[in-house]
Amino acid sequence: MEYQFSDRVSNLKPSAIREIFKYAADPEVVSLSAGNPSPEAFPAKEIAEISARILSENPISVLQYSVTEGYTPLRQHMMEYMRSNHNTGSDSDDILITTGAQQIMDLCTKALVNEGEAVICEAPSFIGSLNTFRAYNARLVGVTVEPDGMNTDELEEKLKANPDAKLIYTIPNFQNPSGVTMSLEKRKKVYELAKKYGVLIIEDNPYGDLRYSGENLPNIKSFDTDGIVIYAGSFSKVISPGMRVAYTIAPKPVFQKLVVCKQGNDVHTNIWSQVVCDEFITKYDFNAHLQRLRDIYTKKADFCMELLDKYCAPEITYNRIDGGLFIWCDLPEDIDMPKFCKDAVLNKVCVVPGNAFLTDERDECHSFRINFSTPTDKQLEKGIKLLGELIKSYNK
């Protein structure tokens, strides 16, 4: 039978990262390609305790259908937490619990973007979100990411050139893949431009609690007196990605449409996961847990950057990071980046080619992304040493 696929998916390609995972499955290959939390980071004991208590005392509460908006106590607690700790969310907003932050991008695109309309994204940006926008036949418009965030002059040029733009998508804290944090000045400028040109902002912040150094910066959503920012938060990097629990704080009219779209998507997010997250953040010391994660990732990030300096300099360069899970590495311009990444796999180390994160994968790119949270210190040193040996072999 000849299969006819919809226009929405006919041109979609598998995720480059997921494809690389196939190579990483080889036990001899050091994977610096994943974005998984460290095995040390999971509160497995606490999750087991909470789950046992729930299933013993009130099992039907997590085995029955639930409401689309999300588990009410979790919604209330997260709205209170975001307001008191991050000045984020107002009486004009509401909060929706979603099945991972990926679903937020899906629901927002479905609700707000018509086929062919523009979504303005950082370049590079998170491949999962880019593919979601592509799945709805949105037209991706890239804006260069600088060491202090999105180039706001270029952003305004792209807004002028694309009057049909519906969304500006940004990851302002420890951006995936670049590791860059947007400056306060640029956060305010992005908000001003969105307001000026009548475009909504999706502020994706899965890594904001994982700051190792420097000063915490306010969320763009904290400036939102005009109802133009949709905030996306997640428990994936601070509790568990496998539980698939995230949340979005959105203006009430947008929230209402997202709820309708979610009803046709998955009815509601896994209720057991929601209850576990609520119990963990309210009955355990969540702030102490976050500090433990920062301690873990501070050591791993510092070690990774020391290894890059030791084995890969001066051929491979990078910008130092203040948080998150990723480092964006730049090759000399005379080195073919896709070839380097393929040669790396043949030499038993996996990295992600930078063009996978571009709005147009055909654009020239001399960068690749590495992740330091998942591998052990021994694996990390072996993998980065292999990268260093590979890049130096090109000059022989």
Side-chain angles (χ1 to χ4, degrees), residues 238-364:
V238 296
I239 296 182
S240 160
M243 292 171 67
R244 310 307 301 135
V245 181
Y247 55 94
T248 180
I249 299 173
K252 286 181 179 178
V254 175
F255 162 84
Q256 291 164 1
K257 290 299 183 184
L258 299 184
V259 171
V260 173
C261 290
K262 184 171 170 61
Q263 287 170 347
N265 192 309
D266 64 356
V267 183
H268 65 78
T269 295
N270 181 301
I271 187 62
W272 164 80
S273 296
Q274 293 186 65
V275 175
V276 169
C277 287
D278 184 64
E279 295 261 322
F280 184 72
I281 66 174
T282 58
K283 297 184 178 179
Y284 293 77
D285 192 338
F286 187 52
N287 287 329
H289 170 72
L290 292 177
Q291 187 56 53
R292 188 175 74 85
L293 297 187
R294 293 184 195 110
D295 292 342
I296 290 170
Y297 293 130
T298 297
K299 291 177 182 177
K300 293 182 80 72
D302 287 345
F303 184 54
C304 184
M305 289 186 281
E306 288 172 11
L307 294 172
L308 287 168
D309 293 340
K310 179 178 179 180
Y311 293 116
C312 298
E315 289 85 359
I316 295 175
T317 58
Y318 67 95
N319 289 320
R320 298 189 68 83
I321 61 170
D322 293 318
L325 307 179
F326 306 104
I327 296 177
W328 187 245
C329 297
D330 297 312
L331 293 166
E333 291 192 1
D334 61 342
I335 299 294
D336 183 288
M337 182 274 297
K339 181 180 185 303
F340 176 85
C341 293
K342 290 177 183 177
D343 289 346
V345 170
L346 296 175
N347 283 271
K348 303 299 184 182
V349 56
C350 269
V351 297
V352 187
N355 62 304
F357 302 99
L358 300 181
T359 52
D360 187 340
E361 295 182 359
R362 298 166 297 181
D363 288 346
E364 186 176 5

Side-chain angles (χ1 to χ4, degrees), residues 135-305:
Y136 286 95
N137 283 340
R139 183 164 42 83
L140 301 185
V141 178
V143 177
T144 305
V145 173
E146 300 175 315
D148 62 344
M150 188 183 291
N151 181 321
T152 52
D153 290 337
E154 185 181 339
L155 172 60
E156 182 157 26
E157 291 174 6
K158 297 296 174 67
L159 286 167
K160 288 179 181 177
N162 296 276
D164 65 341
K166 289 295 185 69
L167 298 172
I168 299 170
Y169 174 69
T170 178
I171 308 172
N173 294 312
F174 325 121
Q175 199 242 25
N176 179 6
S178 70
V180 160
T181 295
M182 186 184 292
S183 67
L184 178 57
E185 179 185 5
K186 284 193 171 182
R187 291 172 195 237
K188 292 180 177 179
K189 184 65 174 178
V190 169
Y191 182 83
E192 291 169 4
L193 290 172
K195 180 179 177 180
K196 178 179 178 180
Y197 290 93
V199 180
L200 293 172
I201 297 169
I202 298 181
E203 180 180 18
D204 193 4
N205 190 29
Y207 314 105
D209 286 320
L210 302 180
R211 174 177 283 280
Y212 325 137
S213 61
E215 181 182 357
N216 284 317
L217 297 174
N219 296 325
I220 299 173
K221 181 66 176 171
S222 69
F223 313 144
D224 189 17
T225 56
D226 302 281
I228 61 173
V229 182
I230 301 166
Y231 179 88
S234 175
F235 292 108
S236 287
K237 301 304 187 290
V238 296
I239 296 182
S240 160
M243 292 171 67
R244 310 307 301 135
V245 181
Y247 55 94
T248 180
I249 299 173
K252 286 181 179 178
V254 175
F255 162 84
Q256 291 164 1
K257 290 299 183 184
L258 299 184
V259 171
V260 173
C261 290
K262 184 171 170 61
Q263 287 170 347
N265 192 309
D266 64 356
V267 183
H268 65 78
T269 295
N270 181 301
I271 187 62
W272 164 80
S273 296
Q274 293 186 65
V275 175
V276 169
C277 287
D278 184 64
E279 295 261 322
F280 184 72
I281 66 174
T282 58
K283 297 184 178 179
Y284 293 77
D285 192 338
F286 187 52
N287 287 329
H289 170 72
L290 292 177
Q291 187 56 53
R292 188 175 74 85
L293 297 187
R294 293 184 195 110
D295 292 342
I296 290 170
Y297 293 130
T298 297
K299 291 177 182 177
K300 293 182 80 72
D302 287 345
F303 184 54
C304 184
M305 289 186 281

